[in-house]
Structures are given as structure tokens and as C-alpha cells.
Amino acid sequence: MNVRRVVTGHDSNGKAVFASDEVVAPITLAAMPGSEFHRLWGSDVPQTYPDSGAPPEAAAYFPPVGGFRFGLFTIPPEQQADYPEDMEGAMAEVEAKLPGMMAHMELDEPGMHTTDTTDYEIVLSGQIVLELDDGAEVTLSPGDTVVQNGTRHRWRNPGTEPAVLGVVLVGAHRS
């Protein structure tokens, strides 16, 4: 799915303008067949208004303290996964396209991860299961929201349709 991103800004007189209007193609990965990541906006530092419409610097997938990310995450149904034979190459692709993501993933527990972020998620379509580290689960449907406070978790889609989540990740201090 391609997503349209419209960004507002200011001209030299301080008047509101549409600074950019473009289609953002998804990031796809051989290691996660059917998944799509739309990195729509983010910054590694507290936001200042980028009047040019160009996205701020946000190198790693997960933000540092004071940074944030905004995007969409599509999770395919579990039965549709067709994993690549070259997993080493697939992991290198993940690191190249979503820098730093694999450092948070547990290879012995596929999908399980922990980040130093507060995540705000809203299910836009499909159904998704959020599983916590003790096996507790909740099934989420369109309109359901989650505030994820740096907990160990994974997402699963046992359904037949892709699930799309809107996500905002905010770098946080772990106490």
C-alpha cells in the first residue's frame, strides 16, 4: 500500500503553506514477508518546524530519548509467511532498511522485542493479537488503541487479512 503524506509549513512571510505532498512507498523485507513499514515522519531530537517539508533526521528505526517516529505497520496473516532461504542476507536487509531494529528483536523468540519507547498504536484495519512476555494476550480490532510502555511484547495476526496499525513511537527513559 502506498500512503500519501501531506506536510504543512510556512513561507518566508509566516503564511501557512503545503510544503510537500508525496506518496511514501512501504519498506518491505524478505525476512518479514507480507509486512510493510511506512516511515512517515520522525526526529531524533525535539521537533522544530521543518518549513521545507523535508523529513527531519531520524536514522534508526526506534527513536532515542527526546525523539519520535510516526508511521504505519502492516502485519500479514501468519499462514501467509514464506520465509527466505538466505536468512543472513535477509537480516542484513532489515538492518539496511530499518537500522537498529534487529538489536531489539529476540532471535530465539521470533517477534518478541523490548524498546525504550512509549508507543501509541491504533488498529486501522484487520485484527491483531498483542502478546506480552508472560503469554497474556489481547485481540485488537479497528479503532482499538494501545499505549505500550516499554514492555516486552510481540504482534501476531492469526486472521486471514492483513492488519494495519498507525504507530507513534516516543523515546523514553527506562526507570
Side-chain angles (χ1 to χ4, degrees):
M1 162 175 68
N2 287 325
V3 175
R4 182 178 176 197
R5 178 182 62 205
V6 176
V7 180
T8 64
H10 302 92
D11 66 14
S12 59
N13 296 319
K15 178 183 175 290
V17 296
F18 292 107
S20 70
D21 184 342
E22 60 190 338
V23 172
V24 177
I27 295 170
T28 59
L29 306 163
M32 299 175 182
S35 295
E36 294 183 348
F37 297 82
H38 285 86
R39 292 186 69 180
L40 299 175
W41 203 259
S43 176
D44 287 342
V45 297
Q47 185 70 36
T48 57
Y49 295 125
D51 290 325
S52 72
E57 180 65 30
Y61 183 75
F62 294 107
V65 172
F68 69 94
R69 304 291 185 266
F70 168 56
L72 297 178
F73 178 33
T74 301
I75 304 165
E78 290 172 333
Q79 73 272 14
Q80 291 183 2
D82 185 20
Y83 297 102
E85 291 181 24
D86 177 15
M87 282 308 285
E88 186 175 318
M91 292 298 107
E93 178 193 32
V94 173
E95 186 59 32
K97 291 182 175 180
L98 301 173
M101 175 182 271
M102 291 310 298
H104 297 277
M105 305 304 285
E106 299 177 24
L107 297 181
D108 60 334
E109 287 284 335
M112 196 60 79
H113 63 285
T114 307
T115 60
D116 291 338
T117 59
T118 296
D119 307 344
Y120 306 99
E121 289 112 357
I122 183 167
V123 179
L124 301 174
S125 65
Q127 285 195 323
I128 194 75
V129 173
L130 172 59
E131 178 186 346
L132 301 181
D133 59 6
D134 65 354
E137 296 181 350
V138 63
T139 300
L140 303 161
S141 299
D144 292 345
T145 63
V146 175
V147 177
Q148 182 74 256
N149 284 308
T151 59
R152 182 173 178 259
H153 67 284
R154 78 174 122 215
W155 298 98
R156 296 187 304 100
N157 181 349
T160 59
E161 300 296 321
V164 179
L165 284 73
V167 298
V168 175
L169 313 174
V170 179
H173 291 284
R174 187 169 293 280
S175 58

